Amino acid sequence: MNKLSKLIIAFFVFLILSFSLLFVTTSGSHDIPFLSNIVSGVMTPIEKFFSPTVSFITAQRTKIGDLFSTFNENQELKQSIASLENISEDNETLRLENESLRKDLGIVASFPEKSFLSSFVLVRNPVSWTEQLIIDAGTEQGVVENMLVVANGGLAGIVINVESSSANVKLLTNSDEFTKIPVKISTQSGDIYGILSGYDSDSNSFVVNQLNSMDEIKIDSNVVTSDLAGTTPANIQVGKVKSISSTSNNLNREVFIEPTTDFSEIYSVLLVEE
């Protein structure tokens, strides 16, 4: 056994004896001043050496505890904020739905001679947002193909496919497969008839052509559907004249119409019965 091993063993034996004597002297029934002084002389430096470390560890444990408490509070606050945001979004959705329904009621009141079917939007896929939507009314409610669809106060589309309790509506913002609809433009000299024949996505405007008159058309002139062809319900609001393309022949003009309908948010629709 080398000297280092002997020193280590002697040190641990000394520590054991010191702690044993300390226990005896502090138990209350024995008092050995000489031994107490020796033990105190040994333990005091040890306490001084370890005391900063113990204090540091205790302080760090407190800080870590505070950090976890702050983290938990932060998570609770995030959940509360998310809950409030959801409530706010729900309230905004309800507000928009109510506004849409009020516009529908206004249209129904404006045309007491017409029959309407009311329906809510069931599905509107982001991929085909400007092309079509699905409503929660079908053959069971009296929906048939080619019915005009009104939303947010103006003409929005036409029914193309009908199931028993749902129907597919092709929106007028679908520029690829546009259904032509006869319209009339109000002017000072009288009504000018034309065909709603397309949608210009660059200007977000309907396009009207095949006009039957060369009379002047002013900006903001009102545009509604026409029953000139005999198959389309008349006087459904379409929009206002936004601009007019100039040509040498006024009959070949193209009139760009700003839609009355806000196509960005459609919650409910009216289907016009012929």
Side-chain angles (χ1 to χ4, degrees):
M1 183 179 295
N2 55 35
K3 292 183 178 181
L4 179 60
S5 299
K6 291 180 180 180
L7 288 174
I8 292 173
I9 293 173
F11 176 75
F12 278 105
V13 170
F14 176 76
L15 283 179
I16 293 171
L17 290 174
S18 298
F19 280 111
S20 299
L21 291 172
L22 179 63
F23 174 76
V24 171
T25 56
T26 57
S27 62
S29 58
H30 299 84
D31 186 11
I32 308 175
F34 173 73
L35 292 177
S36 296
N37 291 335
I38 293 175
V39 172
S40 177
V42 173
M43 295 304 296
T44 299
I46 295 175
E47 289 178 357
K48 289 182 178 180
F49 177 80
F50 285 105
S51 179
T53 303
V54 173
S55 299
F56 175 78
I57 293 174
T58 302
Q60 295 306 311
R61 185 178 64 180
T62 302
K63 290 181 179 179
I64 292 173
D66 292 341
L67 183 61
F68 275 107
S69 297
T70 303
F71 175 78
N72 291 332
E73 290 177 1
N74 189 34
Q75 293 298 108
E76 291 176 359
L77 286 173
K78 285 183 177 180
Q79 292 176 358
S80 298
I81 291 172
S83 178
L84 289 174
E85 288 177 348
N86 290 335
I87 292 173
S88 178
E89 290 176 359
D90 291 342
N91 289 338
E92 179 64 13
T93 299
L94 288 173
R95 185 189 68 80
L96 293 173
E97 288 179 353
N98 289 336
E99 183 178 343
S100 177
L101 288 171
R102 281 195 295 270
K103 289 180 179 179
D104 291 346
L105 289 174
I107 291 177
V108 172
S110 300
F111 298 97
E113 75 283 1
K114 296 185 184 298
S115 296
F116 296 93
L117 292 175
S118 179
S119 178
F120 285 97
V121 175
L122 191 63
V123 177
R124 192 177 185 187
N125 195 317
V127 176
S128 56
W129 190 263
T130 62
E131 298 173 2
Q132 61 184 2
L133 53 80
I134 299 175
I135 58 175
D136 64 353
T139 54
E140 294 179 355
Q141 290 75 32
V143 180
V144 296
E145 290 186 4
N146 296 321
M147 293 181 77
L148 293 185
V149 179
V150 177
N152 294 329
L155 187 64
I158 186 170
V159 176
I160 54 173
N161 292 315
V162 186
E163 302 294 338
S164 60
S165 58
S166 65
N168 195 309
V169 175
K170 181 171 64 176
L171 297 174
L172 294 182
T173 49
N174 186 345
S175 56
D176 294 332
E177 301 177 6
F178 198 89
T179 300
K180 295 183 178 181
I181 299 171
V183 297
K184 61 182 177 181
I185 304 171
S186 299
T187 68
Q188 290 181 345
S189 59
D191 293 334
I192 296 178
Y193 292 87
I195 300 296
L196 188 68
S197 59
Y199 180 79
D200 180 39
S201 57
D202 292 333
S203 62
N204 296 321
S205 305
F206 296 139
V207 180
V208 174
N209 51 27
Q210 300 182 40
L211 303 177
N212 73 330
S213 173
M214 299 176 63
D215 291 345
E216 180 186 8
I217 299 174
K218 292 186 177 181
I219 304 300
D220 288 332
S221 295
N222 196 45
V223 183
V224 297
T225 58
S226 165
D227 60 352
L228 195 63
T231 58
T232 304
N235 299 318
I236 301 300
Q237 185 66 35
V238 176
K240 301 285 187 180
V241 174
K242 185 177 183 180
S243 64
I244 305 165
S245 65
S246 58
T247 63
S248 57
N249 185 349
N250 280 349
L251 288 177
N252 294 329
R253 291 174 294 176
E254 284 191 331
V255 182
F256 293 87
I257 310 299
E258 183 174 0
T260 297
T261 299
D262 179 5
F263 286 92
S264 62
E265 300 290 347
I266 299 177
Y267 294 95
S268 63
V269 300
L270 290 174
L271 294 93
V272 187
E273 296 184 274
E274 297 181 8

